[in-house]
Amino acid sequence: MSLAVERLGGAAVALLLYCCAAAAAAPSDTAIMADKPPKLLSEFGFFSDAHAQVPMEGVVPFEPHTALFSDGALKFRFVYVPEGKAARFVADEAFEFPVGSALIKSFAFPADFRSPDEKVRLIETRVMLRHEDGWQSWAYLWNEEQSDAELKIAGAKVDVATIDESGEPVSFTYSVPNKNQCKGCHQLAGEIVPLGPKARNLNFEFQYDDAPANQLERWREAGLLEGLPEDIAAIDAVPDWRDESADLDARARAWLDVNCAHCHRREGPASNSGLYLTWGEAIGPALGVHKRPVAAGRGSGGRLFDIAPGEPDGSILNFRVESTEPGIMMPELGRAREDAAAAALLREWVSSLR
């Protein structure tokens, strides 16, 4: 201990050490803004307990009402916005985040989905970092000890074995995306953008550690979001697609919006298909109803229309969502398994169309 510190006295030293510890216990803005991402996830400082996914102060958990299917993985999502800054509210797209922000999403599988909080194995954590020139996206693969995750620019394949909700054993190979595959889903009008933090998918009550609260309200109160309209009820909101008490059309459209519309929209990578599955798209040919595919082939399954109202067995959309065959299945990235419950929902929805 230096002479200067000794002269401060015991109480002052204790306060100094506390402040130093508090400064260290925060996300690293330096790591977030570095030209090259750190090798290890821990270098970002996003978690106080990484394996338990306990965020550091200033890192806020969030959850979309309807989520992207990723082979059934559990997901833990967090947002970090630098102190003194805030994201800007956008009505129909992802919020506009300030430079220095980070979006963090971890993917995990329990040993048994009947006990999803026990024996959870983290597979990967993806981070999106907002730099001056746009967003950067990186994937980190968790080690066997579950102590840290390492940067994997080229992606990885991971064997997963678990037990599903019905008690049946499930095994498959999970894919950690490479750098280019991240662009495949997150590219919009030539730029990399976030997908999840949209007002319509966050406009519901989330169970925080202290109390349940509407996520948009909580973001505003925490200083994370500016420009939010005063009347939260006037902001569009999608349902949880699994909620059978909700409107069938809204449930199906919410699932398609999150799982398909990042590509199938007018500004997206699949714009040339003419099939647009965004939440606000009107029922009609652009949504696939009575629409013939731009290009026939294996992906059509011999069916004539993207959506044949009343006929899921005659609809290309159902054929591709139900497939797990590369070159046919949709979404084409991010899954090796069928989302059977969602496929059943889409069958019911197409059957209801006239």
Side-chain angles (χ1 to χ4, degrees):
M1 183 180 296
S2 71
L3 180 61
V5 171
E6 286 181 5
R7 288 177 176 171
L8 288 173
V13 169
L15 178 60
L16 176 63
L17 293 175
Y18 172 81
C19 292
C20 290
S28 170
D29 294 322
T30 300
I32 291 171
M33 294 300 296
D35 291 337
K36 294 183 179 179
K39 181 179 180 180
L40 297 177
L41 179 68
S42 58
E43 296 178 58
F44 287 111
F46 293 137
F47 301 102
S48 60
D49 183 338
H51 180 256
Q53 292 289 280
V54 178
M56 198 69 74
E57 185 175 352
V59 179
V60 179
F62 73 94
E63 182 178 309
H65 216 182
T66 283
L68 178 72
F69 177 75
S70 302
D71 286 330
L74 304 177
K75 297 181 184 179
F76 308 95
R77 303 169 181 84
F78 308 90
V79 59
Y80 169 73
V81 175
E83 187 174 357
K85 297 183 179 181
R88 188 173 71 83
F89 174 82
V90 179
D92 298 322
E93 301 292 350
F95 303 143
E96 293 183 0
F97 288 86
V99 171
S101 298
L103 294 166
I104 307 108
K105 181 164 64 174
S106 295
F107 298 70
F109 290 90
D112 190 330
F113 273 91
R114 294 171 297 181
S115 301
D117 298 325
E118 300 176 7
K119 299 180 179 178
V120 175
R121 176 192 176 194
L122 291 163
I123 303 295
E124 63 161 322
T125 295
R126 301 177 194 173
V127 299
M128 291 191 71
L129 312 173
R130 183 66 169 88
H131 285 195
E132 291 282 359
D133 58 353
W135 287 94
Q136 295 289 325
S137 184
W138 308 100
Y140 287 78
L141 178 68
W142 281 84
N143 59 25
E144 291 294 332
E145 297 78 23
Q146 298 281 277
S147 60
D148 210 337
E150 184 177 355
L151 179 66
K152 289 291 179 183
I153 296 175
K157 301 290 185 182
V158 181
D159 291 331
V160 172
T162 183
I163 296 173
D164 67 18
E165 291 87 346
S166 66
E168 292 296 318
V170 175
S171 60
F172 63 97
T173 300
Y174 176 93
S175 295
V176 177
N178 62 43
K179 181 67 173 172
N180 288 330
Q181 287 173 322
C182 292
K183 295 178 182 178
C185 290
H186 285 273
Q187 186 166 279
L188 179 64
E191 297 184 3
I192 303 301
V193 299
L195 299 175
K198 295 183 175 75
R200 62 177 175 268
N201 222 356
L202 298 179
N203 192 9
F204 75 102
E205 195 171 85
F206 175 71
Q207 182 61 55
Y208 292 94
D209 285 342
D210 56 347
N214 180 283
Q215 292 184 99
L216 298 179
E217 289 277 18
R218 178 60 67 94
W219 282 37
R220 174 164 57 189
E221 291 170 1
L224 295 175
L225 184 63
E226 61 184 15
L228 182 68
E230 287 299 323
D231 185 6
I232 298 294
I235 299 173
D236 209 359
V238 303
D240 181 343
W241 73 272
R242 300 164 298 182
D243 181 3
E244 295 183 1
S245 68
D247 176 74
L248 173 62
D249 182 71
R251 292 168 61 207
R253 296 295 301 277
W255 190 92
L256 291 169
D257 184 48
V258 169
N259 284 271
C260 308
H262 48 274
C263 288
H264 282 279
R265 55 179 297 168
R266 287 170 175 80
E267 310 89 345
S271 61
N272 61 352
S273 70
L275 177 64
Y276 308 130
L277 300 174
T278 48
W279 170 252
E281 189 67 48
I283 295 287
L287 189 68
V289 177
H290 289 306
K291 174 189 167 300
R292 294 184 182 273
V294 171
R298 291 175 62 244
S300 72
R303 304 177 185 193
L304 299 179
F305 300 101
D306 288 342
I307 295 177
E311 301 179 42
D313 286 325
S315 300
I316 297 171
L317 182 144
N318 297 97
F319 173 67
R320 303 196 78 168
V321 168
E322 293 169 6
S323 177
T324 56
E325 185 175 343
I328 295 178
M329 69 177 184
M330 285 288 175
E332 60 185 349
L333 297 174
R335 73 177 181 99
R337 304 172 60 202
E338 176 192 357
D339 187 350
L345 168 68
L346 294 176
R347 279 187 159 269
E348 184 181 0
W349 175 63
V350 170
S351 295
S352 74
L353 298 176
R354 296 291 181 268

